[in-house]
Amino acid sequence: MKSARIVKPKEPLEIQELETPKAKGSQVVIKVQSSGVCHSDIHLWDGGYEGIEGQLLKTTDRGVKYPLTPGHEVAGVVESLGEEAQGFIKNDKVLVYPWIGEGLCPACRSGEENLCDRPRSLGVYTDGGYSEYVLVPSYRYLVKLNDEMDIDAASTLSCSALTAYGAVKNAHLKPYDNVVIVGAGGLGLMAIQLAKAITGSKIISMDLDDEKLKAAKRNGADIAINSKKEDPIKSVMEITDRMGADAVIDFVNASKTVETDMQFLRKRARLVLVGLFGGELKLGLVSMPTRAYRLIGSYTGTLSDMTELVSLAERGVISPLVSNRFKLNQATDALTMLKEGKIVGRGVINP
Ligand SMILES: [Zn+2]
Ligand SMILES: [Zn+2]
């Protein structure tokens, strides 16, 4: 099989000819039809991301090994099954849950494999979907898709939409809450759709780009704020009758955006930090208890969240957006375009 692999960080991906995996035990081999191109693939390609005081957090220190086939947003059809795999047959159309854990830690045991102490995520710690075939360690990580489901839209459900869904759930939104959603890229827009569909909160979208804010309105935002043109703190305080936002979901999560978020939190507000832009934050410690803020980190979502999302997408409650399609040998171009901000929506690779 052909796979597009990161051999060394920062160098163009190489198309390598590898042995097609064979499924044993409960394993399943998937013929990849669509593999989403995600911002976290750029961190794998760069070899790290920015931590405190500009220090690079290296992927190899977190257990990533190169050469690596990236790609954790995988949809396709079942090619072959191990003798213990159940519930699926060859050619079943499926989405793969990539946030695989070792199964034994407290997180795994309570259904939060995405937060496993010893993660084995597909396309991060093991070879993923930038490939003609991918080996999934168990049939339990597959969710069946109906025939009508668009395969490219489906692949985005396992990470970008799942991350948005996890963040919306972590914001604990109630009807009539004011929620500020920072960033109107792919994740922000999906969070707007989800918050609109399931919470009844008033949605305030914040971004620097008018085009993205127009998209935010089309996806269900009640109010759009361009934080480059207007004072974001003043605007949020006016919209919320000087109370502040009940929740903020920050899909950028850079020092600058979070410092601003902290200025318009209502008492009891939840600040959900999602983006991996990186940086640091200075906290006024007294206001944490006196205003009873909650800071919540949110990372992807659970297998049961993903199953719910597939159902929401199949019923047309949400519509994942796919904007760019690439072939396997264009993997480097896909990552470059994403890095340069030239993909509006979501890019996918069709091997
Ligand atoms: Zn991702
Ligand atoms: Zn675990």
Side-chain angles (χ1 to χ4, degrees):
M1 66 172 184
K2 285 191 172 59
S3 302
R5 311 190 84 201
I6 304 171
V7 177
K8 249 186 163 175
K10 295 191 166 69
E11 286 182 12
L13 277 71
E14 257 178 46
I15 301 290
Q16 293 186 348
E17 193 74 47
L18 301 177
E19 185 97 30
T20 305
K22 286 190 182 67
K24 284 181 287 206
S26 55
Q27 297 171 338
V28 183
V29 173
I30 304 298
K31 185 174 203 260
V32 182
Q33 293 177 327
S34 181
S35 186
V37 181
C38 177
H39 270 102
S40 60
D41 296 338
I42 294 175
H43 297 301
L44 287 172
W45 189 33
D46 279 345
Y49 48 94
E50 195 196 321
I52 288 176
E53 288 164 0
Q55 169 198 14
L56 183 78
L57 299 173
K58 282 170 125 185
T59 48
T60 46
D61 291 343
R62 286 168 52 217
V64 173
K65 290 190 180 73
Y66 300 98
L68 171 77
T69 308
H72 51 269
E73 306 184 358
V74 186
V77 293
V78 171
E79 173 69 16
S80 64
L81 304 115
E83 59 290 351
E84 287 159 33
Q86 303 166 23
F88 295 89
I89 55 169
K90 192 178 157 93
N91 289 328
D92 269 348
K93 190 170 162 184
V94 292
L95 175 64
V96 179
Y97 180 75
W99 310 109
I100 294 166
E102 102 294 31
L104 297 170
C105 77
C108 286
R109 283 172 183 269
S110 56
E112 292 186 298
E113 276 197 53
N114 54 315
L115 301 175
C116 177
D117 288 331
R118 285 173 290 275
R120 295 178 182 175
S121 316
L122 198 81
V124 181
Y125 300 103
T126 62
D127 285 336
Y130 288 22
S131 176
E132 290 173 311
Y133 296 91
V134 69
L135 180 68
V136 180
S138 169
Y139 63 94
R140 293 189 302 111
Y141 299 113
L142 304 180
V143 174
K144 241 178 229 172
L145 300 169
N146 72 19
D147 292 340
E148 290 75 47
M149 184 76 200
D150 178 78
I151 201 78
D152 292 328
S155 68
T156 71
L157 296 175
S158 66
C159 176
S160 68
L162 184 62
T163 300
Y165 195 36
V168 168
K169 283 191 165 181
N170 275 325
H172 301 288
L173 296 170
K174 295 177 291 298
Y176 313 112
D177 271 358
N178 289 298
V179 56
V180 177
I181 297 183
V182 181
L187 269 79
L189 294 181
M190 183 48 67
I192 291 169
Q193 287 189 22
L194 285 160
K196 186 85 183 171
I198 64 176
T199 71
S201 299
K202 186 195 261 185
I203 302 163
I204 303 158
S205 170
M206 195 177 279
D207 202 285
L208 306 165
D209 182 333
D210 281 332
E211 284 308 307
K212 288 185 178 166
L213 288 167
K214 273 185 208 156
K217 281 270 185 119
R218 285 198 300 274
N219 281 269
D222 298 291
I223 296 167
I225 298 175
N226 185 326
S227 50
K228 201 156 74 178
K229 294 185 182 163
E230 26 182 331
D231 178 345
I233 301 163
K234 209 171 140 220
S235 304
V236 172
M237 294 312 284
E238 270 166 20
I239 294 160
T240 59
D241 289 331
R242 316 234 41 91
M243 286 299 157
D246 300 283
V248 181
I249 306 174
D250 195 325
F251 286 104
V252 182
N253 193 20
S255 302
K256 204 172 168 208
T257 59
V258 183
E259 272 161 22
T260 306
D261 302 341
M262 294 295 298
Q263 305 302 310
F264 52 64
L265 296 180
R266 188 177 190 166
K267 277 190 180 179
R268 303 160 75 237
R270 288 82 63 198
L271 173 52
V272 183
L273 303 178
V274 194
L276 298 175
F277 189 93
E280 56 199 306
L281 175 69
K282 211 170 175 181
L283 266 185
L285 293 178
V286 169
S287 57
M288 288 302 295
T290 57
R291 300 188 60 80
Y293 297 142
R294 276 182 274 167
L295 292 185
I296 302 164
S298 190
Y299 181 71
T300 69
T302 66
L303 176 57
S304 99
D305 291 337
M306 193 182 89
T307 310
E308 289 169 25
L309 265 183
V310 167
S311 163
L312 288 169
E314 288 184 342
R315 284 182 282 139
V317 178
I318 52 164
S319 19
L321 313 156
V322 174
S323 50
N324 302 63
R325 290 171 176 80
F326 301 90
K327 295 267 167 264
L328 198 55
N329 60 11
Q330 298 172 308
T332 307
D333 304 335
L335 286 172
T336 307
M337 278 180 72
L338 183 64
K339 198 172 175 176
E340 290 170 354
K342 288 183 188 151
I343 295 181
V344 183
R346 200 71 177 172
V348 297
I349 290 175
N350 303 120

